[in-house]
Amino acid sequence: MVHNFNAGPSILPEQVLKKAAQAILNFNDTGLSILEVGHRTPLFESVLDEARSLVRELMEIGPEYEVLFLHGGATTQFMQVPMNLLDDAGTAAYIDTGVWSSKAIQYARQFGNVKVLASSKDANYTYIPTDFSVDPPVTYLHITTNNTIYGTEWHKFPFSHGVPVVADMSSDILSRVIDHSRFDLIYAGAQKNMGAAGTTLVVIKRSLLGKVQRKIPGILDYQKHIEAGSMLNTPPVFAIYVSLLTLQWLKEQGGVAAIDKLNTEKASLLYATLDSLPIFRPTVATQDRSRMNVCFVMKDGKQELEQLFLDRCKKEGMVGVKGHRSVGGFRVSLYNALPLSSVKDIVAVMEDFAKTHG
Ligand SMILES: *Cc1c(COP(=O)(O)O)cnc(C)c1O
């Protein structure tokens, strides 16, 4: 038995893997592999249509939004967002909550002015800044809703002043009930919580587009993708299919409300254990704890236990527990597909380890 706590690419539901494997051999009893069908055929068009409509249904997205499945990962969106939305003379506001938002900031600077309204870099990104205000004129505000590397997550969205909000939701997309209508553009690489690497979900309010002067290469122009229905060129067929299967699975689980409840239960159990044991210390501010990526270290004076704990996890078939190099310690990711039983198992290992070494 393997427990997959990887941060990304990460665990997918077994049912998704089985169906994806089957579709590689024989897709929907066509005698063809999903890898062999043309993207402009009814076979694939129905995959894309259903994936789009499940995104609308599960995220409760209104008709004023478009749903795109693009190539290039979230990193391409760091560039594509400012290229499409920010004029040379315009100013975009960013909140810096870690490596990914810093990259987004760096990319945006190539297209216009960037104001970093707040940053938690001073404390190695262990909290979400709240002390900022968004003062127009600002073209948009950009946030990273879950900071995969540091384990912080925005639980409140303290802005409601008419400035469009762009959010990188790569690592908490479809994990919790939030009012998506508060966002004007949402993007997420699929490989953390909604499928396989290779496609990126973009949900965008149509009214945001058509406002910049620069010439945008067609393949990077949201408007062109919308007109072509995510078929400007060959879409990442298989990655979109895996997203479809993951979305279907999520709907069967009871949708976002049901997975929110389960994710809360998983995270609460793990944090309660960390808080109660004498050897571990969660690294982030309590109010900003992520329910997707739980980061912790050994308490001061106990650091020599770090490798021992990693060895123990390895022995128990637990993969992906080592923290990111910029934080150290441990990171346990609790994405939608991770069952509660895996959390119970790692909690039992932690308790046993603390009894022996505490
Ligand atoms: C993983 C991740 C990225 C980078 O995604 P790619 O698809 O590899 O470009 C960006 N933002 C967040 C929040 C991430 O977790």
Side-chain angles (χ1 to χ4, degrees):
M1 168 93 200
V2 170
H3 296 285
N4 184 351
F5 297 111
N6 279 329
S10 38
I11 185 166
L12 286 169
E14 191 177 339
Q15 160 188 330
V16 168
L17 300 177
K18 283 188 171 149
K19 286 187 182 172
Q22 174 58 34
I24 285 187
L25 296 172
N26 182 3
F27 173 53
N28 285 355
D29 288 322
T30 54
L32 294 167
S33 167
I34 179 81
L35 305 177
E36 299 175 317
V37 302
H39 58 289
R40 292 182 204 282
T41 60
L43 279 175
F44 181 69
E45 276 164 7
S46 69
V47 168
L48 188 53
D49 286 346
E50 191 184 343
R52 272 196 291 244
S53 71
L54 278 171
V55 166
R56 283 189 185 281
E57 182 183 336
L58 292 165
M59 290 174 69
E60 298 182 43
I61 298 296
E64 66 277 26
Y65 290 87
E66 294 285 345
V67 177
L68 300 170
F69 284 91
L70 304 181
H71 295 269
T75 305
T76 298
Q77 296 309 307
F78 296 164
M79 158 193 73
Q80 203 169 348
V81 164
M83 183 184 276
N84 280 261
L85 306 185
L86 182 62
D87 255 327
D88 299 335
T91 300
Y94 279 69
I95 312 290
D96 173 27
T97 52
V99 162
W100 298 121
S101 34
S102 309
K103 283 205 175 146
I105 289 164
Q106 195 188 313
Y107 279 57
R109 288 206 162 109
Q110 300 180 39
F111 297 95
N113 303 305
V114 171
K115 231 194 305 194
V116 180
L117 298 184
S119 168
S120 47
K121 189 169 186 195
D122 55 349
N124 200 29
Y125 298 117
T126 49
Y127 68 98
I128 299 289
T130 50
D131 191 16
F132 64 88
S133 65
V134 193
D135 302 317
V138 165
T139 308
Y140 63 84
L141 166 70
H142 179 284
I143 66 166
T144 311
T145 53
N146 184 73
N147 298 281
T148 327
I149 292 174
Y150 308 88
T152 60
E153 188 171 20
W154 291 73
H155 297 294
K156 290 188 203 139
F157 303 104
F159 25 79
S160 54
H161 18 59
V163 172
V165 181
V166 175
D168 176 358
M169 294 196 187
S170 291
S171 53
D172 65 347
I173 188 92
L174 294 164
S175 71
R176 55 175 171 166
V177 177
I178 55 176
D179 179 2
H180 292 104
S181 73
R182 303 197 55 183
F183 300 89
D184 299 78
L185 192 159
I186 293 165
Y187 62 90
Q191 69 272 21
K192 273 124 189 176
N193 218 13
M194 61 168 293
T199 192
T200 310
L201 175 70
V202 175
V203 175
I204 182 171
K205 216 182 239 175
R206 230 172 286 116
S207 58
L208 231 51
L209 296 171
K211 296 187 177 162
V212 293
Q213 301 301 316
R214 81 172 52 83
K215 283 208 160 53
I216 302 170
I219 195 65
L220 294 170
D221 188 340
Y222 292 127
Q223 192 63 50
K224 293 268 186 326
H225 281 285
I226 291 167
E227 284 160 17
S230 287
M231 292 262 206
L232 210 48
N233 65 336
T234 314
V237 169
F238 186 64
I240 293 173
Y241 184 63
V242 177
S243 282
L244 169 63
L245 295 175
T246 309
L247 293 161
Q248 288 172 335
W249 170 85
L250 181 55
K251 188 177 171 179
E252 282 166 33
Q253 305 310 299
V256 175
I259 214 76
D260 181 321
K261 203 160 151 270
L262 179 66
N263 288 337
T264 303
E265 193 179 350
K266 291 185 300 190
S268 303
L269 174 60
L270 186 50
Y271 283 116
T273 305
L274 288 168
D275 288 337
S276 72
L277 294 176
I279 58 172
F280 298 111
R281 179 174 65 81
T283 47
V284 310
T286 311
Q287 74 278 5
D288 300 323
R289 288 174 170 180
S290 166
R291 298 180 319 152
M292 294 283 101
N293 312 99
V294 177
C295 294
F296 55 100
V297 292
M298 286 296 173
K299 276 198 174 141
D300 288 349
K302 303 274 184 194
Q303 281 94 343
E304 81 280 6
L305 294 175
E306 186 171 312
Q307 192 54 48
L308 272 181
F309 182 67
L310 288 171
D311 293 344
R312 173 72 188 271
C313 287
K314 195 169 173 199
K315 200 173 123 233
E316 303 279 351
M318 295 171 169
V319 302
V321 177
K322 194 173 165 57
H324 189 275
R325 63 190 175 279
S326 56
V327 178
F330 315 100
R331 171 175 54 177
V332 169
S333 296
L334 309 177
Y335 295 119
N336 287 355
L338 186 87
L340 179 60
S341 59
S342 286
V343 182
K344 287 185 172 160
D345 283 4
I346 197 167
V347 159
V349 168
M350 290 167 132
E351 285 171 344
D352 183 60
F353 187 85
K355 215 188 294 168
T356 316
H357 300 283

